Amino acid sequence: MPSSLPVMFIFIFTTACMRLATSEYYSFPPNFILGASTSSYQIEGAWNISDKAESIWDRFVHDNSGRIANNETGDIACDSYHKYKEDVAILKELGFDSYRFSVSWSRILPEGFAHYVSQDGLNYYNKLLDELLANNIKPLVTIYHWDHPQLIEDLGGWRNDRMVEWFADYARIVFRELGPKIKYFVTINEPSILATSGYGNGTKAPGIQDSGRGEYLATHNMLKAHARAYHIYQNEFKSTQNAVIGIVDVCQHSYTKDANDNTSSEVGFEFNCGWTFHPIFSKEGDYPKIFKEQIAEKSKLQGYPRSRLPNFSQEWITYIRGSADFLGLNHYTAHVVQPGSNAQVPSYEDDQNLVVSFRPEWKATSVSIFKIVPIGFGDTLRELAEAYNNPVIYVTENGVAPNEGLKDPTRIQFFHDYVRELLLAINRDGVNVKGYHIWSLLDSFEWTHGYGVKFGIIEVDFNDPMRKRTKKDSASWWKRVLSSRRLQPVDCD
Ligand SMILES: *[C@@H]1O[C@H](CO)[C@@H](O)[C@H](O)[C@H]1NC(C)=O
Ligand SMILES: *[C@@H]1O[C@H](CO)[C@@H](O)[C@H](O)[C@H]1NC(C)=O
Ligand SMILES: *[C@@H]1O[C@H](CO)[C@@H](O)[C@H](O)[C@H]1NC(C)=O
Ligand SMILES: *[C@@H]1O[C@H](CO)[C@@H](O)[C@H](O)[C@H]1NC(C)=O
Ligand SMILES: *[C@@H]1O[C@H](CO)[C@@H](O)[C@H](O)[C@H]1NC(C)=O
């Protein structure tokens, strides 16, 4: 008899709704920004409209060499170039505060360089910005999300250090032409992934296979380019436009496989997150010490006369350090690490001296490298706060792609569990997160996965010439969260 009493009690009095309603931690702080994310190549389509030039992604997908699932392309994608008003109406209806999208270098500067600016390109982004502002939605604009003009790539792209100035010129045009409507800028999205897959193993555009060298050259130049854009903004635009400007990279916590292993977790952090964040957000600047030492040592053993990792001059270390108003975090999974290597030599993976795996109990998704680990999100936020003196963080992407259609309980559970970790990190642990953006608003062209991997809370019918948009259950869950400004249970309807 006594043993059944607590069960009754739970059944009658603490439904999920009530349990949440009483928790002190589960409200968003005042002025917290909740948004949804996309990127230009993944949604816009209109790849060859007006005077838009070919980007590295246009070239990569049209190559048809089996690098993209089903040879799919972003030629039309969600057709957001034509349907942006519908996208904004969805954001408005669901109640999002913010929309993170990216502008396309090849749409704005069809010849790559800043001598010729496309009026059509500017018109498109001006109309999108006006539509957002008219609906009271804050634009968070990524200046560069992986899609530079092919013409620039033909000159070496991110492996050419002239790219630093070419990017800076492009950023200046974006600030000058669109900046008056923007209060949140991201310079570059995920330099580490573009570097490792675009210039290391060549699995993404521009498809360069220069493993162990290309990754480091590309990141080196992206960090410099980011800092140039940041300083240009401070010197030429900040006083009139007053936006905040940051950089985004993907970062996840590394748990050690062996409980007695007291170094791998840190090595994992420095290779994964510190590589791009340490030069900007640490007190001393430059690449992390462990990162520099390990690559230098491996390079030496491999007979290279100097480290495959370029070094920054003291001037550049100082120029890059502190060059961000916020840290932009993209987050999808957690890692388990142990010493060792099974990767190609030389490569970024081999330089880490870590074998990355997952715990068997972590739930799989339709992307094999992303397992669902909510506590890993909290641990990542706390780790970043500790490493970099509690910087302002905007989560710029977080989401999941279950193999589900309009009924998507896995996605709702994912957002519930991840947002819960977010709120605990903020309200209980004091991590300075000021905004959170889901990935993604729409099902879209998911790079090499094509359209088969679906991250959207809105379904897009890619067989329909009109690219019909339909809300998934997770969109309704978000609508409840957005109107209450609190975490909502998964099943409160
Ligand atoms: C643009 O590309 C499409 C294929 O996606 C093609 O059918 C069309 O002819 C191209 N338009 C121009 C102006 O080149
Ligand atoms: C992709 O295109 C290539 C070249 O046209 C072709 O050989 C291959 O079979 C295509 N793959 C698929 C999945 O359609
Ligand atoms: C290429 O690099 C990316 C990023 O590090 C990694 O996720 C992917 O597994 C690599 N692919 C291959 C085939 O090595
Ligand atoms: C890490 O473990 C090794 C081997 O057990 C030990 O020698 C070393 O002192 C430990 N380092 C730290 C920082 O705890
Ligand atoms: C890189 O480091 C080497 C050795 O310390 C130094 O000689 C060189 O000047 C450095 N390069 C730059 C750009 O500072």
Side-chain angles (χ1 to χ4, degrees):
M1 203 34 211
S3 68
S4 68
L5 238 169
V7 177
M8 286 283 287
F9 182 82
I10 288 166
F11 179 74
I12 297 168
F13 293 109
T14 57
T15 66
C17 294
M18 292 175 74
R19 201 161 56 238
L20 280 168
T22 57
S23 170
E24 59 189 302
Y25 294 131
Y26 295 157
S27 288
F28 290 96
N31 303 321
F32 193 85
I33 289 171
L34 287 164
S37 261
T38 60
S39 91
S40 49
Y41 186 72
Q42 294 177 272
I43 65 161
E44 284 178 3
W47 78 280
N48 58 358
I49 211 145
S50 185
D51 54 359
K52 180 183 167 292
E54 183 189 30
S55 78
I56 57 169
W57 273 94
D58 295 320
R59 175 69 62 90
F60 193 74
V61 300
H62 291 148
D63 177 61
N64 267 356
S65 56
R67 296 183 291 194
I68 312 283
N70 303 314
N71 290 335
E72 285 163 342
T73 76
D75 287 358
I76 302 172
C78 307
D79 199 21
S80 288
Y81 179 83
H82 295 108
K83 295 177 73 79
Y84 68 94
K85 281 193 180 173
E86 209 176 306
D87 295 344
V88 175
I90 292 167
L91 290 160
K92 175 75 174 173
E93 195 225 311
L94 297 180
F96 282 108
D97 309 317
S98 164
Y99 182 44
R100 174 177 176 238
F101 66 95
S102 75
V103 293
S104 156
W105 187 336
S106 18
R107 201 179 288 292
I108 295 177
L109 300 183
E111 297 185 20
F113 302 99
H115 63 290
Y116 170 64
V117 183
S118 165
Q119 199 52 50
D120 183 78
L122 289 181
N123 286 349
Y124 170 59
Y125 293 116
N126 268 312
K127 283 188 293 182
L128 172 57
L129 287 164
D130 290 342
E131 190 72 11
L132 288 166
L133 295 178
N135 285 284
N136 209 13
I137 297 165
K138 299 170 172 55
L140 191 161
V141 175
T142 307
I143 296 170
Y144 172 75
H145 198 123
W146 297 359
D147 51 354
H148 58 274
Q150 180 63 39
L151 200 118
I152 292 267
E153 184 56 35
D154 294 342
L155 298 171
W158 286 112
R159 290 186 301 171
N160 182 344
D161 60 11
R162 298 301 299 159
M163 186 74 160
V164 175
E165 291 309 318
W166 300 335
F167 177 79
D169 294 342
Y170 161 55
R172 185 185 276 108
I173 301 281
V174 175
F175 295 144
R176 190 183 74 204
E177 299 294 334
L178 306 174
K181 296 173 183 168
I182 299 166
K183 295 294 174 215
Y184 302 86
F185 274 114
V186 163
T187 52
I188 298 178
N189 178 73
E190 292 185 2
S192 69
I193 302 298
L194 173 56
T196 48
S197 29
Y199 293 91
N201 65 29
T203 50
K204 290 195 170 86
I208 306 291
Q209 296 181 337
D210 187 12
S211 199
R213 295 174 296 262
E215 305 94 308
Y216 301 129
L217 284 172
T219 302
H220 204 67
N221 290 326
M222 281 190 262
L223 286 166
K224 288 176 164 183
H226 155 79
R228 282 290 291 133
Y230 180 81
H231 288 289
I232 285 171
Y233 193 79
Q234 302 313 303
N235 295 337
E236 302 173 29
F237 301 97
K238 179 79 177 179
S239 64
T240 51
Q241 298 183 1
N242 202 27
V244 288
I245 176 162
I247 188 168
V248 164
D249 217 324
V250 71
C251 160
Q252 58 260 319
H253 186 70
S254 295
Y255 298 95
T256 53
K257 181 121 184 171
D258 174 356
N260 298 320
D261 176 356
N262 57 16
T263 55
S264 294
S265 187
E266 188 189 350
V267 175
F269 177 78
E270 297 299 11
F271 268 79
N272 177 234
C273 315
W275 176 11
T276 49
F277 285 155
H278 193 278
I280 299 169
F281 297 100
S282 69
K283 207 158 41 174
E284 60 277 21
D286 199 2
Y287 294 118
K289 190 156 172 287
I290 293 179
F291 182 77
K292 286 192 293 187
E293 285 174 357
Q294 279 191 204
I295 301 167
E297 192 180 322
K298 287 244 182 186
S299 302
K300 196 168 166 190
L301 287 172
Q302 290 155 359
Y304 286 85
R306 67 185 67 81
S307 180
R308 287 177 280 99
L309 178 72
N311 54 339
F312 289 119
S313 66
Q314 188 54 52
E315 287 73 24
W316 274 106
I317 290 172
T318 308
Y319 191 74
I320 294 169
R321 190 182 60 209
S323 64
D325 302 318
F326 65 88
L327 183 156
L329 172 67
N330 288 357
H331 185 84
Y332 290 96
T333 192
H335 284 165
V336 168
V337 292
Q338 66 189 115
S341 173
N342 50 16
Q344 184 183 342
V345 178
S347 67
Y348 157 80
E349 286 81 3
D350 179 66
D351 289 335
Q352 285 188 71
N353 245 338
L354 293 177
V355 175
V356 174
S357 59
F358 302 101
R359 294 207 173 124
E361 67 269 25
W362 291 349
K363 200 173 172 201
T365 72
S366 64
V367 180
S368 62
I369 58 169
F370 295 158
K371 311 289 180 199
I372 301 178
V373 194
I375 186 68
F377 186 32
D379 286 339
T380 301
L381 291 168
R382 287 180 284 274
E383 190 167 35
L384 288 168
E386 182 170 341
Y388 307 127
N389 193 25
N390 208 8
V392 172
I393 296 176
Y394 284 89
V395 178
T396 36
E397 291 180 20
N398 179 229
V400 68
N403 251 329
E404 297 168 340
L406 295 176
K407 293 214 153 309
D408 54 348
T410 304
R411 183 176 286 105
I412 295 175
Q413 190 72 50
F414 175 98
F415 280 131
H416 173 276
D417 295 350
Y418 275 71
V419 167
R420 183 176 172 278
E421 284 296 331
L422 170 76
L423 289 170
L424 290 173
I426 297 169
N427 294 329
R428 184 191 63 197
D429 306 328
V431 180
N432 199 8
V433 187
K434 299 236 183 265
Y436 171 92
H437 293 72
I438 62 161
W439 186 271
S440 178
L441 178 66
L442 305 172
D443 289 343
S444 65
F445 179 77
E446 198 52 45
W447 310 114
T448 52
H449 303 292
Y451 297 101
V453 162
K454 298 170 186 297
F455 275 95
I457 61 168
I458 303 295
E459 180 184 85
V460 176
D461 182 353
F462 294 103
N463 296 317
D464 176 357
M466 296 309 294
R467 295 296 189 271
K468 185 173 183 325
R469 281 111 161 103
T470 310
K471 282 199 285 289
K472 302 182 188 177
D473 285 355
S474 55
S476 307
W477 184 82
W478 269 107
K479 189 171 177 172
R480 290 209 311 272
V481 171
L482 290 160
S483 65
S484 63
R485 311 299 293 183
R486 292 180 59 79
L487 182 62
Q488 292 292 320
V490 295
D491 52 1
C492 202
D493 282 331

